Structures are given as C-alpha cells and as structure tokens.
C-alpha cells in the first residue's frame, strides 16, 4: 500500500470505508476520544495489519467498537452490574472489560487470547455511521505509531500513518481528546485506565475503584512507562519556563501555548494531544517542553496519566 485516501463522512465516503474494511483493509476514523485505527475485529489478517501499521512491539489486546448494546452482547457476557454501567455511560468514552463469549467469532488476536474482551460503544456520529455501514465489530487502537502522541484530527493520523493504512475518514477534531476510561468488570470492578469519563462518576455508582495492572506486566499499553511521547523531552509541573523550554500552560500565567487559559479540565483534555504536537513543532533541537501543573481531579487524572508517560524515560 502506498497511498492513504482521505474520505469524508458522506454516503459515498462511508460506503468506500465500509468496502475497504470488508476487504480486510484499515480505515482510521474519528471517535469522541481520539481517532481509532479500525479493522474488522473478526479477521486475523485485518487485526495483524493494525499491529503492523502501528509498529506495536507486541500483541496487546485491542478495544472492540460496536454501534449498540445488542451488538455488544454478542461478544461479551453482561451481568446486571455491566448492564447498569452500560445503561448509564454508553454511548460514550468508556470501555468495559468483560468476559468474552465463547461464540464471539472475534479474532483471537483482538483479545490476545484472553478470556475477556474490551468493548465500547462510541458516541461520535461518524463512528456510529461507519459501524452501521460496515455492519460488523471494529478493532481500533488509537491511530498513531506505537508509543507516540494519539491523534485528535485527521491530519495527525496522516502525520504518523500516511502510506501505512488504506484511508482516514475525516470527522474534524475530537471533542473529548483523551482515550476512553477502561473499567474492568471481571470480578471486583477495577480502573484499568483513567480517561474520558471522570473516575469520580464511576465511583459514585460502583464505590471506590482500585487501579489494576502494573508497569512491568501491562495489560493496557497506557500502563507502559513511555507512551504518548512527543519528539522533544518533557518536564512536568513547570510553574514557569526555564531557558530553552517551550511552556505548555494551564490557567493564567505566561506560556507559549495554553491547554485552557480559564483552567477548564475538559477544555484541556480536548486540546492536550494537539498542543503537545504544536509544542513539539515549536521546540528547536535541544529544547524541552515544560508543562504546567494540572489538578489531579476529574479529567485531570487522565491528562496527568498521559503526561507522566510522555515524560517517562524513553526506551
Ligand atoms: O478512546 C479509546 O479507547 C480509543 C478509541 C479509538 O476508541 N482506543 C484506544 O485503544 O485507546 P488502545 O488500543 O490504545 O487501548 C486499548 C486498551 C489497551 O490498554 C489494552 O491493553 C486494553 O485496552 N485492553 C484491551 N483488551 C483488554 C482486556 N481483555 N483486558 C484488559 N485490558 C484490555
Ligand atoms: Mg494508544
């Protein structure tokens, strides 16, 4: 493959995208969180192509995207607790890890041969339209080369993956801007990744959530130490910029770029990955990106999680 088509969310564009997916090709598409790199979740070849296009070092399990609960129930086992969480938060930026149905028909590459499956119903109208015109489940990690900053615009997808995927469906900028929150519902509920649904909202329903997984044995790539990394090194909790730094601010104060001048965490999440890329473009060779402190509450937990990984020592 050498040329990546840009498609729009017209009936023709959606039909073309569905045709590519039916031929086991790859189409990046917008969700409310970030752009996903979609392939048929039932096809070993399509899923293997996803790993290859991203240059993923190993076969981490992927999220399966479906248009509605009826479809979700064909792949995962929903108990009463899962049904209640789904009713409260879907469609939306929440992924549930649930027992895999024996008869799911999903490629074992999607689940990394686990007996569980990560599943999500995205709210974005273009994601919904694509899932319906394709008529099957889409495996979709974020549409970026492994370890790099996630894409929140079609142009970000092309910066990282042009020539490596068949098409990108352009649906404008993503409104949430950080990946979905991942909630494990195998046994006791556990927070596997903070994300677009504030943890406090889940805890109001489920009680205090332990965090699952550890950095040495990750079950979510969000738990790998270095991830979301821009090209330039990153310094966190920077109250001011030092010489040789591009400052990414939050709230009032001098900065080159600002996640949210008014200090709004939802706005900051929506701007995060785009402004990390912009800061990277502004940084001269040898310069560093200095990022203002972000409060550890609401979407600030997801933002800080991504920033800690962006600042982590590189492999
Ligand atoms: O917002 C999002 O979630 C985006 C959009 C495209 O939907 N997708 C995304 O996918 O962030 P990805 O592949 O970057 O993250 C999937 C996460 C990984 O951390 C993976 O380890 C975890 O889901 N995961 C998948 N299946 C799992 C399972 N059975 N048990 C535990 N974790 C699982
Ligand atoms: Mg990712």
């Amino acid at each position: 493959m050498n040329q990546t088509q840009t498609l729009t969310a017209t009936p023709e564009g959606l039909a073309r995208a569905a045709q590519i997916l039916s031929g086991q090709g790859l189409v990046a598409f917008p969700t409310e969180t970030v752009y996903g790199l979609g392939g048929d979740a039932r096809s070993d070849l399509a899923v293997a192509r996803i790993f290859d296009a991203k240059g993923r070092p190993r076969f981490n399990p992927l999220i399966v995207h479906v248009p509605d609960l009826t479809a979700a129930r064909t792949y995962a086992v929903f108990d009463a607790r899962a049904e209640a969480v789904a009713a409260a938060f879907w469609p939306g930026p929440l992924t549930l890890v649930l027992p895999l149905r024996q008869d799911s028909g999903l490629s074992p590459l999607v689940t990394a041969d686990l007996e569980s499956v990560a599943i999500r119903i995205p709210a974005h109208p273009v994601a919904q339209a694509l899932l319906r015109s394709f008529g099957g489940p889409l495996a979709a990690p974020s549409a970026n080369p492994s370890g790099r900053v996630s894409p929140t615009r079609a142009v970000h997808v092309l910066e990282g993956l042009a020539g490596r995927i068949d098409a990108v469906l352009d649906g404008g900028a993503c409104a949430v801007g950080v990946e979905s929150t991942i909630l494990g519902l195998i046994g006791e509920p556990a927070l596997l990744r903070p994300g677009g649904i504030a943890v406090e909202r889940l805890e109001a329903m489920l009680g205090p959530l332990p965090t699952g997984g550890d950095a040495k044995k990750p079950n979510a790539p969000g738990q790998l130490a270095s991830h979301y990394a821009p090209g330039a090194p990153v310094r966190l909790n920077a109250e001011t910029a030092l010489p040789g730094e591009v400052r990414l601010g939050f709230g009032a104060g001098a900065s080159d770029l600002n996640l949210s001048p008014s200090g709004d965490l939802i706005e900051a999440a929506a701007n995060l990955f785009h402004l990390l890329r912009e800061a990277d473009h502004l940084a001269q060779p040898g310069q560093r990106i200095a990022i203002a402190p972000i409060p550890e509450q609401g979407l600030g937990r997801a933002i800080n999680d991504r920033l800690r990984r962006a600042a982590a020592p590189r492999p």
Side-chain angles (χ1 to χ4, degrees), residues 15-80:
R16 177 74 191 121
Q19 184 187 39
I20 292 168
L21 292 167
S22 297
Q24 303 179 82
L26 303 185
V27 178
F29 64 97
T31 80
E32 68 274 33
T33 59
V34 300
Y35 274 73
L37 178 54
D40 187 339
R42 300 160 300 190
S43 159
D44 294 336
L45 176 61
V47 179
R49 282 181 171 157
I50 292 176
F51 289 110
D52 182 59
K54 284 184 62 89
R56 262 207 186 179
R58 65 179 121 181
F59 295 139
N60 291 313
L62 304 178
I63 297 172
V64 176
H65 298 68
V66 294
D68 53 38
L69 253 172
T70 307
R73 291 193 194 102
T74 63
Y75 305 112
V77 180
F78 283 72
D79 61 11

Side-chain angles (χ1 to χ4, degrees), residues 55-58 145-148 221 224-231 308-315:
R56 262 207 186 179
R58 65 179 121 181
S146 185
R148 307 315 295 257
L224 296 174
S226 175
H227 206 82
Y228 309 103
R308 278 191 290 273
R309 294 170 211 290
R314 314 281 165 87

